[in-house]
């Protein structure tokens, strides 16, 4: 009988084996792993492969090896679990700038309607009394007297009786230079028209207004007259100018906190600009919610009427959709392009206002009805306030003597002076960054592998190579055996 001799090659090992039927020598794939165990940098493997070791010693090293493998797998499993929670770290920094763009500053009179401009002031007064949440409870009124005014359309009320920016602004200065009324635009607020400085529309028309120095020298100053003597008794009870500060790309929401400046005072408002930058999906940015990466090159503004995306603009369009669809009319704050008539005051109170309260106040309804995501990057302006009496007695007397105001009482009841500036020309930034990056993952993986097994990334390739050679040797061995059986059918 002829026996075929063949050379079986393994990584780093050459072993001559007689492959014949019934041969008792170790199989080729076992030789691959024996060679791997002898040459690899994995701790304990060389002790398992050494025939000089007793069986008890090899079993002991096998226990140590699998204990280390178990510990490594546990640590890697914990690392994977932690990674899938997408944790973040917070990075804080400060950026100093030579100049800074002013935010959009919105001024709204708490009672912006002029009773002297009403055709039937008595009926309209009854309507505003009904709107006042305090007076309508402490002073009982006959609701039938309110009905005629409730048939008035919102746009008619605003156009006929709302005070305009030229009624309010007596003087405007920016960096101690005169500012014309053309630098302010008007929008519809809760109670009459509001006027804005450095809005997105004005920036496109005139360019952004900036502050080149911090403090009062770079401030916006306004001398205002709120015409309190012609206010209706509602819907609000205070006499004040409400000041809202937001980034130009954000739509002004009149449910946001405002600074109330009372007549007879001078208000000093210093601002600090903050930038927040969170991470998009799958990271969580607002509790359990994701944010929308509006800075991504692939981002497309989903809003129909707002030129730039903001959460406030998304909520506003959502509210407009539901109020117009269900009420059959639009409110004065809805886009002019909507093909619906303006609501009457009755329609606004009985229908539109209910949807406003549901969507603005109820966060569950916001998620279920609107599906608006907050942008990952946004700006917030912190403010510090201080007040003083305005005008002083000397200034008041001079105003009265020169017929600037009719009386000292009028000045105290109607005039106010507002100063707004940046405290410092800095942006305080807070950014989220992934806790696990490619570098940190590779470093952690390599460190744990080295600590428990003395392994590295190269060792993983050695293991992969051994697997390939063992499979290759096993397949060749099977083929050789089949060929041998055909050559020696009796065996």
């Amino acid at each position: 009988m002829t026996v075929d001799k063949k050379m079986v090659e393994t990584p780093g090992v050459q072993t001559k084996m007689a492959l014949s039927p019934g041969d008792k020598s170790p199989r080729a794939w076992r030789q691959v792993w024996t060679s791997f165990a002898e040459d690899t940098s994995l701790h304990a493997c060389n002790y398992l492969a050494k025939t000089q070791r007793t069986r008890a010693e090899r079993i002991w090293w096998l226990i140590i090896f699998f204990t280390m493998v178990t510990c490594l797998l546990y640590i890697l499993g914990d690392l994977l679990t932690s990674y899938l929670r997408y944790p973040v770290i917070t990075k804080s920094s400060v950026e100093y700038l030579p100049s800074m763009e002013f935010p959009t500053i919105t001024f709204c009179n708490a009672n912006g309607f002029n009773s002297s401009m009403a055709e039937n002031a008595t009926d309209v007064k009854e309507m505003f009394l009904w709107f006042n949440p305090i007076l309508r409870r402490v002073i009982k009124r006959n609701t039938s007297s309110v009905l005629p005014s409730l048939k008035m359309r919102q746009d008619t009320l605003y156009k006929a009786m709302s005070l305009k920016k030229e009624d309010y602004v007596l003087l405007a200065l920016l960096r101690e230079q005169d500012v014309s009324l053309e630098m302010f635009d008007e929008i519809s607020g809760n109670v009459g028209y509001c006027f804005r400085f450095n809005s997105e529309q004005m920036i496109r028309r005139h360019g952004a207004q900036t502050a080149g120095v911090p403090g009062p020298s770079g401030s916006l100053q306004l001398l205002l007259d709120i015409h309190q003597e012609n206010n209706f008794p509602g819907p609000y009870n205070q006499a004040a100018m409400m000041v809202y500060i937001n980034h130009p790309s954000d739509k002004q929401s009149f449910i946001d906190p405002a600074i109330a400046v009372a007549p007879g005072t001078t208000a000093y408002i210093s601002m600090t600009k903050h930038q927040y930058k969170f991470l998009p999906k799958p990271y969580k940015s607002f509790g359990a919610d994701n944010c929308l990466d509006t800075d991504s090159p692939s981002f497309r503004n989903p809003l129909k009427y707002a030129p730039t995306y903001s959460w406030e603009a998304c909520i506003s369009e959502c509210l407009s959709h539901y109020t117009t669809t269900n009420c059959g009319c639009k409110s004065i704050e809805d886009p002019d392009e909507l093909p619906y008539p303006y609501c009457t005051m009755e329609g606004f109170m009985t229908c539109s206002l209910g949807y406003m309260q549901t969507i603005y106040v109820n966060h569950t309804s916001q998620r279920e009805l609107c599906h608006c995501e907050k942008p990952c990057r946004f700006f917030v302006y912190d403010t510090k306030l201080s007040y003083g009496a305005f005008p002083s007695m000397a200034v008041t007397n001079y105003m009265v003597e020169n017929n600037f105001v009719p009386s000292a009482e009028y000045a105290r009841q109607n005039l106010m002076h507002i100063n707004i500036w940046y405290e410092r020309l800095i942006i305080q930034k807070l950014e989220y960054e992934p806790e696990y990056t490619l570098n940190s993952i590779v470093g952690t993986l390599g460190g744990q592998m080295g600590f428990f097994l003395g392994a590295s990334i190269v060792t993983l390739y050695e293991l992969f190579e051994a697997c390939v050679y063992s499979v290759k040797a096993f397949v060749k061995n099977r083929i050789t055996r089949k060929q041998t059986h055909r050559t020696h059918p009796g065996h």
Side-chain angles (χ1 to χ4, degrees):
M1 180 176 66
T2 303
V3 178
D4 295 334
K5 302 287 186 178
K6 295 196 181 233
M7 183 76 69
V8 179
E9 295 183 1
T10 64
V13 177
Q14 287 190 345
T15 305
K16 287 189 176 181
M17 296 186 301
L19 300 179
S20 62
D23 190 1
K24 302 300 184 181
S25 61
R27 295 181 180 179
W29 65 271
R30 289 181 179 175
Q31 290 294 329
V32 172
W33 288 106
T34 300
S35 175
F36 171 78
E38 292 175 347
D39 298 336
T40 185
S41 61
L42 281 175
H43 293 334
C45 285
N46 57 339
Y47 295 109
L48 298 175
K50 287 180 179 180
T51 56
Q52 297 91 338
R53 296 275 179 176
T54 65
R55 176 170 291 186
E57 289 176 326
R58 295 165 77 178
I59 291 175
W60 174 246
W61 278 108
L62 184 65
I63 293 173
I64 294 176
F65 177 76
F66 278 110
T67 300
M68 294 298 101
V69 170
T70 301
C71 292
L72 176 62
L73 292 177
Y74 174 80
I75 294 296
L76 294 182
D78 184 67
L79 177 65
L80 178 62
T81 302
S82 179
Y83 172 77
L84 292 178
R85 288 197 292 265
Y86 300 105
V88 298
I89 57 176
T90 302
K91 176 183 175 183
S92 180
S93 63
V94 175
E95 181 181 3
Y96 290 85
L97 298 172
S99 64
M100 289 180 60
E101 179 182 340
F102 264 95
T104 296
I105 306 172
T106 306
F107 302 88
C108 298
N109 193 342
N111 287 278
F113 293 110
N114 189 345
S115 61
S116 65
M117 300 170 67
E119 292 183 2
N120 193 335
T122 302
D123 290 345
V124 178
K125 177 181 177 181
E126 292 293 329
M127 179 183 69
F128 279 105
L129 278 170
W130 189 61
F131 287 165
N132 191 308
I134 294 178
L135 292 181
R136 76 165 179 258
R137 287 173 171 82
V138 299
I139 302 175
K140 300 301 181 183
R141 309 294 297 178
N142 184 1
T143 56
S144 61
S145 61
V146 181
L147 295 178
S149 297
L150 291 179
K151 301 303 180 182
M152 182 186 303
R153 287 194 353 173
Q154 263 195 311
D155 59 325
T156 303
L157 175 67
Y158 273 67
K159 292 176 181 177
M161 285 175 277
S162 180
L163 293 165
K164 307 295 194 300
K165 60 184 180 182
E166 52 267 21
D167 299 317
Y168 294 123
V169 181
L170 302 178
L171 177 68
L173 299 175
L174 177 63
R175 301 185 297 272
E176 300 181 353
Q177 301 294 320
D178 288 334
V179 177
S180 70
L181 288 179
E182 294 180 356
M183 302 300 294
F184 299 86
D185 64 341
E186 290 182 330
I187 59 170
S188 300
N190 290 334
V191 189
Y193 289 124
C194 304
F195 62 99
R196 302 182 298 181
F197 174 77
N198 204 48
S199 67
E200 192 172 26
Q201 290 81 354
M202 291 294 101
I203 291 175
R204 288 199 295 266
R205 189 179 304 172
H206 302 289
Q209 302 302 311
T210 61
V213 293
S217 297
S219 69
L220 172 69
Q221 298 185 54
L222 294 178
L223 177 61
L224 303 178
D225 183 347
I226 64 170
H227 298 281
Q228 186 183 173
E229 76 281 4
N230 293 321
N231 283 169
F232 286 106
Y236 301 113
N237 298 286
Q238 68 270 27
M241 184 65 76
M242 314 303 290
V243 182
Y244 301 87
I245 299 175
N246 60 278
H247 193 263
S249 63
D250 296 337
K251 179 178 174 62
Q252 176 58 52
S253 174
F254 295 106
I255 64 169
D256 290 342
I259 301 168
V261 181
T265 61
T266 181
Y268 299 99
I269 305 173
S270 65
M271 305 178 296
T272 302
K273 187 175 182 179
H274 297 262
Q275 175 183 290
Y276 295 88
K277 189 174 182 180
F278 298 147
L279 293 172
K281 193 175 181 180
Y283 296 92
K284 304 298 182 183
S285 300
F286 300 95
D289 296 335
N290 303 117
C291 66
L292 187 62
D293 188 6
T294 54
D295 294 328
S296 171
S298 60
F299 173 76
R300 298 293 181 270
N301 184 7
L303 303 181
K304 187 175 181 181
Y305 300 106
T308 56
Y309 182 89
S310 67
W311 181 82
E312 293 81 3
C314 180
I315 291 293
S316 178
E317 288 200 8
C318 172
L319 175 62
S320 297
H321 168 74
Y322 280 99
T323 54
T324 53
T325 302
N326 294 281
C327 301
C329 61
K330 62 183 177 183
S331 71
I332 196 68
E333 297 178 34
D334 290 332
D336 294 334
E337 297 86 349
L338 289 174
Y340 291 89
Y342 284 101
C343 296
T344 62
M345 296 305 296
E346 181 181 17
F348 174 75
M349 292 296 297
T350 59
C351 188
S352 299
L353 191 58
Y355 280 98
M356 290 177 64
Q357 294 172 343
T358 298
I359 291 178
Y360 274 127
V361 178
N362 192 319
H363 296 289
T364 302
S365 298
Q366 287 179 4
R367 291 191 181 95
E368 294 176 351
L369 299 178
C370 298
H371 309 289
C372 291
E373 293 182 294
K374 294 183 179 180
C376 294
R377 185 172 65 91
F378 59 94
F379 295 91
V380 173
Y381 297 86
D382 284 346
T383 57
K384 296 179 181 178
L385 295 97
S386 60
Y387 295 95
F390 177 85
S392 65
M393 291 183 62
V395 172
T396 302
N397 293 335
Y398 188 81
M399 287 181 172
V400 174
E401 290 172 3
N402 289 272
N403 299 320
F404 187 76
V405 292
S407 65
E409 181 68 15
Y410 182 93
R412 287 191 294 270
Q413 294 291 333
N414 293 280
L415 299 189
M416 63 181 65
H417 182 222
I418 301 177
N419 295 263
I420 304 175
W421 64 72
Y422 278 114
E423 185 174 353
R424 293 180 180 87
L425 298 183
I426 63 172
I427 301 178
Q428 296 184 359
K429 296 183 176 182
L430 188 145
E431 300 182 18
Y432 278 5
E433 293 183 350
E435 183 175 338
Y436 295 105
T437 61
L438 179 60
N439 289 340
S440 65
I441 291 174
V442 171
T444 303
L445 179 62
Q448 299 297 339
M449 289 172 57
F451 178 77
F452 287 104
L453 296 173
S456 65
I457 302 299
V458 175
T459 309
L460 295 178
Y461 178 74
E462 291 177 356
L463 184 62
F464 170 75
E465 187 182 48
C467 291
V468 171
Y469 276 105
S470 63
V471 171
K472 182 179 178 181
F474 179 79
V475 172
K476 283 186 177 181
N477 198 6
R478 296 287 296 178
I479 294 173
T480 303
R481 285 180 177 273
K482 288 182 180 180
Q483 291 175 347
T484 304
H485 278 295
R486 292 195 191 97
T487 307
H488 305 281
H491 293 278

